[in-house]
Amino acid sequence: MRKRIPFWILPLGVGLLTACQSGGGKPDATSETNAATVTEESYRTYVTALASDDLEGRKPFTTGEKKTLHYLEEQAKALGLEPGNGNSFLQEVPMVEITSNPAPSMTVKGKQSFELKGLEDYVIWARRPEENVTIKDSELVFAGFGIVAPEYKWNDYAGLDVKDKVVVVIVSDPGFYSSDTTFFKGKTMTYYGRWTYKLEEAARQGAKGCLIVHATEPAGYGFQVVQNNWKTSKFYLASAGKEAYHCAMEGWITTPVAQKLFAAAGKNYETELQRAAKPGFKGSSLGLTVSTALQAKVKRDKSYNFIAKITGSKRPDEAIVYSAHWDHLGIGKKDEQNDSIYNGAADNASGTAGLLAVAKAFKSQGQAPDRTVVFLSVTAEEQGLLGSAYYAENPVFKKEKTVANLNMDMLNPYGATKDIVLIGMGQSELEELLAEEAQKAGRYIARDPNPEAGLYYRSDHFNFAKTGIPALFTGMGTDHIKLGKAEGEKLLESFTANRYHKPSDEVNEAFKTDGATADLQLLYQMGKRLAFSNAWPQWKTGSEFKAIRDQYLPKQ
């Protein structure tokens, strides 16, 4: 048995396959393979179709979903891809859709009483499939960051009774407010900083409701993104009998509202925030109660993941999985231009188009890969990574045989860059493989400029990572080839402020395709090298996912 050399100790330029392969792999099998490439023409064709008004914003449970799945199957067949789930391209994902209709206000009572306005001051919804939810004079309890993390010796709920009460918690981690980079992960968000975790933990603690204090920098987006959830439908994986594990009411409040609540409790919010960010914090009641109500319309239905594949010629049971989510927000609130279709061109028609463009490149190689290459387009990412969560729980290709996941979400819409951003740097040996391919292309890897937003926990690769599968996620570069880094940063800021989760995220004259194509070419080359090799990339020491993978790591 040959000793495995970790990717990460190799200098750039040393082939991954040369170092790790036990024989028989050939990353550059033929001249035809070398010539295969992701073309800008194919990518533009796919992304234009997927972001068209005809697909109605690609929301699950709508005609937009049916049209999207039909288009994907049509294109997969045209490329000669095989169904990835037995004889079908589809994997059924049972979900429940809950449309919440909150009361227009929330009453706060204490030494002074006042009303909060729905949408303006807070956004709430229900996750339990109950037609009526009533919050009547429920006690407000401040639980700091709402974190229980034994490995950090941190428990915001220690000695705190929150059963049937409404907890107020702060977004992000205590480390975000510390100058100590070793405290949690400093400014880099951990999974404990994610709002989804905070809602789950509040429910585990028995809370009736959970309100997260929003702030733009640690959340990674403005309150207007949260407001998109007002009186809209939300989807969840169907989990009959488990509804009690969700709070009856979930949602967000603005920082000014938090300041008002704490002032009514005779406290200063900023002071309490700083106190909550230090070891030894103890939560407490605010001495206030809240009352409000929600009506909910519940619908149980099925959505679908789309799975296509190219079967490996030598080790068909070993798989490299490319992933992207096909869904977006559908038809919703009109913008200033009277446009109500949330086309989601960058988010994430780009990634789904990328799957097809990469698949086309693989098919143009003229030779089947040694391993199976899977093209997985999942549903309901916008609703909490639901499609990928379901796939991870019900994998078509066993996790023990899944070599790696390469995820594509929100590809560059503003022009080619010298850099490609690596989200979650320091996680897995896939990073060195990406760095090698970037170097060959005359490009370089850049760190996530906003690690406090916790992007590594906010796309579909995360559900692969949670099962131990090494997962890579890249972001948009900013070192613009033509305009320079400063202008590139402005373009990214403009996209986030003016197009992200808005009807204006569509294919138009401002939507560029050369940057996405260049990034896709790197991901294609990575997948190709893995597909023609025996290599098994691993998690790096210090990754929270390493221990999971080590339990079933193939012998090298």
Side-chain angles (χ1 to χ4, degrees):
M1 181 166 60
R2 189 171 180 177
K3 183 178 180 182
R4 183 178 66 83
I5 304 173
F7 304 167
W8 53 271
I9 66 173
L10 299 175
L12 289 180
V14 175
L16 163 105
L17 302 177
T18 301
C20 300
Q21 190 171 295
S22 59
K26 43 186 179 303
D28 300 312
T30 65
S31 59
E32 289 179 292
T33 299
N34 282 329
T37 185
V38 177
T39 69
E40 186 174 356
E41 179 184 9
S42 64
Y43 171 68
R44 174 169 281 278
T45 297
Y46 294 137
V47 75
T48 300
L50 286 161
S52 67
D53 284 354
D54 185 55
L55 268 57
E56 303 175 12
R58 306 187 308 279
K59 188 172 184 177
F61 291 10
T62 68
T63 56
E65 170 172 7
K66 294 178 182 178
K67 291 178 179 180
T68 301
L69 295 174
H70 175 75
Y71 176 79
L72 291 176
E73 183 165 345
E74 187 177 60
Q75 297 307 312
K77 289 179 177 178
L79 290 172
L81 302 179
E82 306 158 64
N85 189 19
N87 294 322
S88 177
F89 285 102
L90 303 180
Q91 180 186 43
E92 186 177 284
V93 181
M95 295 196 297
V96 57
E97 178 184 19
I98 303 177
T99 305
S100 298
N101 184 19
S105 64
M106 181 182 293
T107 302
V108 179
K109 293 181 181 179
K111 291 183 179 179
Q112 53 178 298
S113 300
F114 50 89
E115 297 285 318
L116 299 177
K117 295 180 180 179
L119 183 62
E120 181 180 332
D121 294 329
Y122 65 88
V123 172
I124 57 174
W125 58 83
R127 204 180 337 180
R128 295 182 189 175
E130 302 172 358
E131 292 186 357
N132 293 288
V133 173
T134 301
I135 306 295
K136 179 66 175 177
D137 294 328
S138 293
E139 183 179 352
L140 275 178
V141 179
F142 178 48
F145 289 85
I147 293 173
V148 178
E151 66 270 38
Y152 293 111
K153 298 180 181 179
W154 194 277
N155 187 347
D156 283 322
Y157 287 99
L160 197 61
D161 177 17
V162 300
K163 186 172 177 57
D164 295 326
K165 299 173 184 179
V166 176
V167 295
V168 176
V169 298
I170 304 165
V171 73
S172 195
D173 304 295
F176 180 82
Y177 296 93
S178 172
S179 58
D180 183 356
T181 58
T182 65
F183 182 44
F184 277 73
K185 288 188 178 180
K187 296 288 185 181
T188 300
M189 184 185 286
T190 71
Y191 181 52
Y192 297 113
R194 288 286 290 133
W195 62 274
T196 51
Y197 163 80
K198 296 175 190 296
L199 298 178
E200 293 164 2
E201 189 59 53
R204 283 191 287 268
Q205 298 293 328
K208 189 170 186 178
C210 181
L211 297 173
I212 303 170
V213 181
H214 177 272
T216 297
E217 187 177 1
Y221 42 78
F223 195 68
Q224 75 276 5
V225 174
V226 175
Q227 289 174 316
N228 288 335
N229 295 295
W230 183 252
K231 291 188 177 182
T232 59
S233 61
K234 297 179 74 67
F235 298 84
Y236 310 98
L237 292 180
S239 54
K242 298 182 180 180
E243 286 79 6
Y245 291 98
H246 304 303
C247 293
M249 177 189 74
E250 301 175 339
W252 297 78
I253 57 176
T254 66
T255 293
V257 166
Q259 293 168 336
K260 190 173 184 177
L261 290 174
F262 278 74
K267 301 178 180 182
N268 178 273
Y269 173 67
E270 279 70 26
T271 300
E272 293 301 301
L273 187 159
Q274 293 301 321
R275 188 174 71 86
K278 295 178 181 178
F281 164 77
K282 299 293 183 184
S284 62
S285 171
L286 290 176
L288 305 171
T289 65
V290 293
S291 298
T292 192
L294 301 96
Q295 292 181 330
K297 182 179 178 182
V298 180
K299 176 184 177 183
R300 294 186 182 275
D301 207 336
K302 299 167 185 174
S303 186
Y304 296 89
N305 291 332
F306 181 87
I307 313 173
K309 69 177 180 178
I310 300 172
T311 300
S313 60
K314 294 185 177 180
R315 293 180 299 284
D317 59 334
E318 297 178 3
I320 293 94
V321 180
Y322 285 93
S323 63
H325 71 91
W326 60 255
D327 68 298
H328 197 52
L329 305 178
I331 298 174
K333 184 175 64 175
K334 293 182 178 180
D335 65 4
E336 297 81 3
Q337 282 70 47
N338 208 35
D339 187 357
S340 62
I341 299 178
Y342 289 69
N343 303 80
D347 187 17
N348 187 34
S350 67
T352 305
L355 287 180
L356 295 172
V358 169
K360 187 173 183 178
F362 267 98
K363 292 298 292 186
S364 70
Q365 289 176 168
Q367 178 179 348
D370 293 351
R371 289 165 158 165
T372 295
V373 182
V374 181
F375 305 95
L376 171 67
S377 192
V378 296
T379 183
E381 187 272 352
E382 300 288 1
Q383 308 296 331
L385 316 183
L386 301 185
S388 56
Y390 186 83
Y391 179 88
E393 294 170 5
N394 305 274
V396 175
F397 299 87
K398 295 179 179 179
K399 64 182 181 181
E400 294 86 354
K401 293 292 186 177
T402 300
V403 177
N405 168 238
L406 305 177
N407 188 50
M408 298 178 282
D409 192 352
M410 291 177 56
L411 303 181
N412 179 342
Y414 46 74
T417 62
K418 298 176 184 177
D419 59 336
I420 183 170
V421 170
L422 180 59
I423 305 299
M425 186 173 283
Q427 286 284 5
S428 83
E429 295 172 343
L430 290 170
E431 298 169 14
E432 276 63 45
L433 184 53
L434 175 65
E436 286 188 10
E437 292 304 324
Q439 184 183 60
K440 291 177 185 177
R443 302 180 65 192
Y444 67 94
I445 301 297
R447 288 182 176 273
D448 179 4
N450 191 25
E452 58 270 22
L455 291 178
Y456 197 77
Y457 311 98
R458 287 172 54 181
S459 192
D460 293 300
H461 64 284
F462 177 52
N463 284 316
F464 284 88
K466 286 198 294 185
T467 68
I469 298 168
L472 184 90
F473 183 38
T474 58
M476 304 178 192
T478 56
D479 192 354
H480 200 283
I481 288 176
K482 295 180 180 179
L483 304 175
K485 190 168 180 59
E487 288 301 313
E489 290 173 349
K490 289 179 182 179
L491 288 171
L492 176 57
E493 291 171 2
S494 176
F495 169 80
T496 303
N498 302 315
R499 293 162 66 181
Y500 176 65
H501 276 208
K502 294 182 179 180
S504 53
D505 181 15
E506 56 189 353
V507 176
N508 51 29
E509 64 280 356
F511 190 92
K512 309 299 181 184
T513 53
D514 55 338
T517 304
D519 291 353
L520 287 168
Q521 181 65 12
L522 296 183
L523 296 175
Y524 162 61
Q525 292 292 346
M526 287 182 65
K528 184 174 72 173
R529 289 176 65 178
L530 290 171
F532 281 98
S533 82
N534 298 327
W536 286 84
Q538 307 300 325
W539 294 105
K540 294 184 178 182
T541 299
S543 170
E544 57 264 58
F545 310 110
K546 185 177 188 302
I548 304 171
R549 184 67 158 182
D550 287 350
Q551 293 175 7
Y552 58 86
L553 179 69
K555 292 182 179 180
Q556 297 294 308

